[in-house]
Amino acid sequence: MSKEKEIKLTGTALKALVRAAETPVVGHGVKKQLLSQMGLDALFEIDLREHGDPPPADAPLQPEDT
Amino acid sequence: MSKKRLTARDYAQQYREGKRTPEDVAEATIAAARLADQGRRPLNAFVLLDEDDVRKQAAESTRRIEQGAPRSLLDGVLVPVKDEFDVEGFPTTAGTTFRPKTKARFDAAIVQRLREAGAIIFGKTSMHEIGFGGTGINPKHITARNPYDLGRAPGGSSSGSAAAVASGLSPVALGSDAGGSVRIPSAFCGIYGLKPTWGRIPTIGGALLAWSLDHLGPLGASLDDLALFYDATAGAHPCDEDSKHAPDPEPIGELDPPELGDLRIAWSPQLGGEGDEAPVKHAFLNALGALRRSGAAVEERTIPHVEQAQKVGYVTMASEAAATQRDWLRDHRAEYNWDTRLLLAVGERISAQEYLHAQRVRTLVRHEFTKVFEDHDVFITPTTGMVAPEISDKALAAGEVNSRTNALVSRYTFLGNVTGFPAVSIPCGVDANGMPIGLMLHAAPWREKALLNAAAAVDAVVQGVPRAKVFFEV
């Protein structure tokens, strides 16, 4: 699991990263790295078979039974 | 409790007693709004303020009140609208430079309901571009400033609405909240903000960011303002898919806080804490202490998977935002702010599997969070993990991606968005620089009345905030 790493970018560095992120192949690598740096590996590493294999959340709430 | 600002109910009383008229108030507020934007660091709460349109609405409201026929307590009250919602006769920018300047043909459903209540639609407020940020810093468009310190961000994305209320220009304003965008600026600006249950307030006529996360809600000078706004706007709308099956809302009316001894409050050390700025930690612990001393049952609770809420929110928001912006990106990619472009580029590359995995974890989070309310009335956290950050020149010039800020502003708020449960932010003190700190309460779905009443009980015992340094008595 990657450790969360602080990202602080502005100006030229930000623009360069954006251009890389928008590039067809390189962009996927940028996305993967950014999500990992934000600590999202932990989310994707959850094995949902161990948690009852939940379905995707539907519209956030169902109405009350009346 | 915070030092009193004028509330909608105060204005209504003044109107009924004949001490003031909506026309007086509108004129004074127009002058104040102009003054707020003078100087080296303008407040920039508004993208658009049509003074003649406001005067026309104010004249109509004054006549209704003079004839003894106000439509509601909101009649004659000035309500700014986040520029994400259509107001008939005016364009909707959603904080961008490139959306067409065509005037909306119809009001958004919520604007229509506010008008039916007699509220005066007082301009369109500035926001973080397309709603995709928690600071309100919008280099290519308009960046509002924090009335507590004009060198700091007001929070986002409902930044202008927060600035308008905190500076006294209005007692209540409209915002929207997909990851905290009502509650974050409320906390940063020392005011109150409500994100109701998902589907409670119709969203049609809004340029929303993320369909499964977005909620509409008020930012107000008091909890009573939030309640009045809610009573005027909540309820199913036949044309709005998300609200059409919602249960009928229970009117809140005047707040009726329970005895603190009867309130069962849960909190969880799993959420945030470590990494929060010290003043936020202290304010939160002080609030828990004050509640315990007042007799409330405050219990630590373990909630499996709750720490995933922010991560689920990130993936969901990025992916859904990329989807809502898909057609705009094709024609206008280069016109977005650089930070927005980065987040959208990431969102475009989140796979269907990754998105669905996040939605499955969302089911777990919601299931476990629901159980909290079997034994507790409210769940309490700080609103944000930090106070309002400074607006740097570099960020203002070209945008900024700051993962620390992104993590701290939304570490508590996403829980309400991914579950859809209602949440309210109230002020709970200031840091050594006088910057406000927010406290947030959640309740079970559709329990907005219980939530706001509980918040009123809590508000009475936690530390309040002084009025903002930039404040207009109108």
Side-chain angles (χ1 to χ4, degrees):
Chain A
M1 188 188 304
S2 300
K3 242 177 138 174
E4 286 188 46
K5 192 178 153 193
E6 199 166 306
I7 309 163
K8 188 173 177 181
L9 295 168
T10 187
T12 314
L14 173 58
K15 292 176 189 176
L17 184 63
V18 172
R19 292 196 176 101
E22 291 175 342
T23 307
V25 173
V26 170
H28 280 282
V30 171
K31 162 233 164 184
K32 195 166 168 348
Q33 190 180 5
L34 282 174
L35 293 189
S36 181
Q37 285 176 327
M38 287 161 66
L40 291 183
D41 289 343
L43 173 69
F44 296 122
E45 285 168 6
I46 296 175
D47 186 336
L48 290 168
R49 293 172 299 179
E50 296 170 12
H51 299 286
D53 253 330
D58 202 345
L61 287 159
Q62 296 301 317
E64 283 175 354
D65 289 329
T66 51
Chain B
M1 186 181 290
S2 297
K3 190 175 161 129
K4 193 169 157 54
R5 306 174 180 92
L6 277 183
T7 67
R9 204 177 286 270
D10 291 331
Y11 283 110
Q13 187 174 355
Q14 289 180 357
Y15 297 154
R16 276 148 189 71
E17 291 173 357
K19 291 179 180 165
R20 299 188 78 181
T21 66
E23 284 173 302
D24 299 335
V25 171
E27 213 55 57
T29 310
I30 287 168
R34 281 198 211 126
L35 195 59
D37 282 351
Q38 289 170 12
R40 190 172 59 84
R41 292 189 302 189
L43 188 66
N44 280 343
F46 295 96
V47 167
L48 184 157
L49 182 57
D50 186 317
E51 296 177 6
D52 289 338
D53 178 68
V54 168
R55 289 185 181 109
K56 180 168 171 289
Q57 294 178 72
E60 288 165 359
S61 175
T62 300
R63 271 197 294 280
R64 286 194 295 270
I65 292 168
E66 280 171 354
Q67 288 161 8
R71 290 178 181 165
S72 77
L73 286 172
L74 285 179
D75 206 321
V77 172
L78 307 183
V79 181
V81 166
K82 184 178 184 180
D83 196 19
E84 200 173 48
F85 298 98
D86 287 342
V87 173
E88 186 186 335
F90 300 101
T92 302
T93 69
T96 69
T97 54
F98 55 80
R99 286 181 77 104
K101 305 293 184 277
T102 14
K103 296 174 185 179
R105 290 174 58 217
F106 305 103
D107 286 331
I110 191 165
V111 172
Q112 195 178 6
R113 288 185 175 176
L114 288 168
R115 288 198 205 272
E116 285 164 4
I120 294 171
I121 304 303
F122 191 78
K124 302 200 85 188
T125 55
S126 47
M127 56 183 282
H128 204 106
E129 186 176 53
I130 65 168
F132 209 170
T135 61
I137 297 173
N138 190 339
K140 290 192 177 181
H141 200 236
I142 294 170
T143 295
R145 291 176 177 276
N146 193 314
Y148 280 82
D149 178 344
L150 293 174
R152 294 195 190 227
S157 61
S158 308
S159 40
S161 289
V165 172
S167 63
L169 295 176
S170 68
V172 67
L174 170 61
S176 63
D177 187 318
S181 291
V182 161
R183 295 161 288 156
I184 295 166
S186 296
F188 282 1
C189 291
I191 57 175
Y192 300 78
L194 172 66
K195 182 204 74 64
T197 311
W198 193 87
R200 180 58 101 190
I201 294 182
T203 59
I204 45 166
L208 300 179
L209 179 69
W211 74 271
S212 82
L213 298 172
D214 253 306
H215 304 62
L216 271 59
L219 298 87
S222 70
L223 287 164
D224 188 54
D225 290 300
L226 304 186
L228 281 174
F229 186 104
Y230 175 87
D231 280 346
T233 57
H237 190 289
C239 300
D240 183 75
E241 282 304 313
D242 299 334
S243 74
K244 152 160 119 168
H245 302 293
D248 290 336
E250 193 183 357
I252 299 174
E254 284 208 42
L255 290 169
D256 182 22
E259 292 293 329
L260 277 164
D262 294 334
L263 207 52
R264 302 165 301 162
I265 300 172
W267 71 283
S268 173
Q270 293 160 266
L271 277 177
E274 188 183 327
D276 281 357
E277 291 182 346
V280 169
K281 285 189 214 177
H282 294 153
F284 182 63
L285 292 173
N286 286 343
L288 294 187
L291 289 166
R292 286 191 175 106
R293 286 191 298 276
S294 303
V298 180
E299 186 182 79
E300 187 177 317
R301 177 87 184 222
T302 298
I303 310 172
H305 308 296
V306 76
E307 68 283 354
Q308 301 297 340
Q310 189 183 30
K311 297 181 174 70
V312 168
Y314 279 155
V315 173
T316 306
M317 179 177 276
S319 193
E320 291 183 8
T324 62
Q325 300 303 302
R326 182 174 176 270
D327 298 325
W328 295 104
L329 280 165
R330 191 178 50 238
D331 299 330
H332 299 283
R333 186 180 295 269
E335 293 162 83
Y336 286 87
N337 286 317
W338 288 99
D339 49 338
T340 312
R341 278 174 72 173
L342 181 65
L343 298 174
L344 289 172
V346 170
E348 286 174 307
R349 287 157 181 79
I350 289 174
S351 68
Q353 274 205 26
E354 287 167 331
Y355 176 81
L356 286 168
H357 180 87
Q359 302 319 299
R360 296 177 71 194
V361 176
R362 190 174 182 176
T363 298
L364 295 178
V365 172
R366 191 191 292 165
H367 179 67
E368 293 296 340
F369 195 47
T370 302
K371 292 182 192 169
V372 171
F373 300 101
E374 291 168 4
D375 311 306
H376 297 89
D377 301 303
V378 292
F379 179 72
I380 197 167
T381 66
T383 308
T384 59
M386 64 186 293
V387 298
E390 290 183 1
I391 301 174
S392 73
D393 291 338
K394 282 185 182 174
L396 204 51
E400 180 182 69
V401 166
N402 186 323
S403 60
R404 176 184 174 274
T405 299
N406 290 344
L408 290 179
V409 294
S410 64
R411 69 178 0 179
Y412 301 106
T413 51
F414 263 121
L415 180 57
N417 299 93
V418 305
T419 58
F421 289 22
V424 63
S425 177
I426 68 173
C428 74
V430 293
D431 74 355
N433 295 314
M435 297 310 298
I437 297 166
L439 185 69
M440 184 163 60
L441 286 74
H442 294 77
W446 316 116
R447 301 291 311 273
E448 286 85 356
K449 180 172 179 170
L451 174 64
L452 290 186
N453 282 329
V458 172
D459 189 49
V461 300
V462 300
Q463 199 177 342
V465 297
R467 290 203 299 209
K469 288 184 186 149
V470 175
F471 190 85
F472 300 94
E473 303 235 13
V474 291

